Amino acid sequence: MTEPSTTETAEPAREALGRLRAEVAKAVVGQDGVVAGLVIALLCRGHVMLEGPPGVAKTLLVRSLGAALDLEMKRIQFTPDLMPGDVTGSVIYDPRSAEFQFRPGPVFTNLLLADEINRTPPKTQSSLLEVMEERQVSADGVTRPLPEPFLVAATQNPIEHEGTYPLPEAQVDRFLLKLTVPLPARDEELGVLRAHHAGFDPRDLGAVGIKAVAGPMELAAAREAVGRVTVTEPVLGYIVDVCRATRATPSVELGASPRGATSLLATAKAWAWLGGRDHVTPDDVKVMARPTLRHRLRLTPEAELEGVTAESVLDSVLASVPTPR
């Protein structure tokens, strides 16, 4: 019996991932763009920062995605007294065996929701650095790999700054995407109220009827297919020129790093593949430039006082950098 080719497995995987939005929409209304961003992060083996006001279903969104992908999901509420061992796990003494044993922390999962990550001190924030970059936990001289796939979705409130600890640039740069979770439109919010009035319980996803439409096998096939997406030399040059233009903008203190350029290449390939294309176009780069680069720009204090934002800088850069034909 011959094994199916990668092309034969890729198309069903794309169709399965395309059905995710409909499954997640059974519990979460009007967040198609955020769902697509989370799927792209899974395809690129990256992590996501979710930014939005409280009460816009960020936790429910990640839980619903986990259910639709048949992946395990855990949540950590980051607080000022949270310790690194509470995140990664710790070595404890077992009196029954008279030995020290490692007790895994909540990072040993597929989808980790790091809720309000900027509410915990830098020491605990840094415990995620190895986890996010190396996908492993080192404790007591032993390195333990994390499950595959693995994604960190970290949330932060863009309004409230009192009692928060801004993430260091090195950690911010490790997030593949920064996705904004907007307030719903009136019709969407009305739909939320109708669902709750009819008895919807966000704590009981089983009652909503979300079923797994894809899993690790489909994700693996999709990742292989994304890796085969072609990129021409002019498009590669366009990605570099966009990132370099952010560094040359007077209102920007720190522009997109080379890691930002490689991240934009990866997300553009994933977006192209999800759209049914086997090559990246300049439009794919433009679509993914904002979510991939917005958190990598640090504005000068003068620019912030004048009301300049990372979004407006990227709008200007994309309008000024020549698009290859």
Side-chain angles (χ1 to χ4, degrees):
M1 182 177 178
T2 59
E3 292 290 329
S5 68
T6 52
T7 304
E8 291 173 337
T9 57
E11 191 55 40
R14 178 159 44 208
E15 293 174 359
L17 293 176
R19 293 193 293 271
L20 273 178
R21 295 182 186 184
E23 287 302 309
V24 174
K26 293 178 180 178
V28 182
V29 178
Q31 299 293 0
D32 282 358
V34 183
V35 174
L38 288 166
V39 171
I40 286 173
L42 283 167
L43 294 180
C44 299
R45 302 182 84 245
H47 308 287
V48 173
M49 184 179 294
L50 298 174
E51 189 171 271
V56 290
K58 295 187 289 290
T59 302
L60 181 60
L61 181 67
V62 178
R63 288 180 58 227
S64 302
L65 182 71
L69 286 173
D70 196 22
L71 298 176
E72 183 186 32
M73 177 264 181
K74 292 181 182 177
R75 174 180 175 271
I76 305 175
Q77 180 64 52
F78 280 78
T79 55
D81 60 347
L82 197 72
M83 299 298 290
D86 298 328
V87 177
T88 59
S90 55
V91 177
I92 61 172
Y93 180 74
D94 184 357
R96 291 175 297 181
S97 62
E99 294 178 347
F100 287 94
Q101 296 183 349
F102 178 74
R103 182 176 60 189
V107 296
F108 286 86
T109 187
N110 298 124
L111 301 178
L112 177 68
L113 180 64
D115 223 349
E116 295 188 292
I117 190 174
N118 56 337
R119 287 210 171 276
T120 200
K123 180 180 180 180
T124 304
Q125 289 178 5
S126 66
S127 66
L128 281 176
L129 286 176
E130 181 189 18
V131 169
M132 293 171 64
E133 188 68 17
E134 306 296 335
R135 297 170 182 270
Q136 64 185 27
V137 170
S138 298
D140 198 29
V142 179
T143 298
R144 297 171 175 85
L146 294 175
E148 185 64 40
F150 174 71
L151 177 142
V152 174
T155 73
Q156 59 180 16
N157 184 339
I159 306 299
E160 207 170 10
H161 298 292
E162 186 176 347
T164 62
Y165 303 84
L167 270 65
E169 297 298 331
Q171 185 160 3
V172 170
D173 202 38
R174 279 172 167 79
F175 284 98
L176 180 73
L177 299 171
K178 180 180 180 180
L179 305 175
T180 55
V181 187
L183 289 165
R186 185 182 186 278
D187 290 345
E188 293 169 345
E189 193 167 0
L190 195 57
V192 172
L193 263 63
R194 289 195 187 105
H196 279 261
H197 178 59
F200 168 66
D201 183 358
R203 292 174 294 273
D204 186 6
L205 290 181
V208 182
I210 294 180
K211 62 178 183 295
V213 294
M217 288 182 61
E218 286 78 10
L219 282 174
R223 285 173 176 172
E224 285 188 21
V226 168
R228 296 193 301 273
V229 172
T230 60
V231 189
T232 63
E233 196 68 25
V235 174
L236 285 175
Y238 181 58
I239 293 172
V240 170
D241 291 342
V242 166
C243 292
R244 290 179 68 86
T246 66
R247 305 170 204 159
T249 303
S251 56
V252 174
E253 191 173 70
L254 181 67
S257 65
R259 178 186 283 150
T262 59
S263 296
L264 182 53
L265 170 63
T267 57
K269 289 173 67 173
W271 177 258
W273 181 79
L274 284 172
R277 295 179 297 281
D278 62 358
H279 64 282
V280 174
T281 68
D283 286 341
D284 296 324
V285 176
K286 290 180 179 179
V287 167
M288 296 310 304
R290 293 174 183 84
T292 307
L293 301 180
R294 59 166 63 110
H295 56 297
R296 305 176 195 270
L297 307 186
R298 187 169 69 192
L299 304 178
T300 63
E302 296 80 11
E304 289 184 331
L305 287 173
E306 293 172 2
V308 177
T309 64
E311 298 287 338
S312 63
V313 169
L314 288 170
D315 288 343
S316 177
V317 164
L318 292 172
S320 62
V321 174
T323 304
R325 295 183 179 276

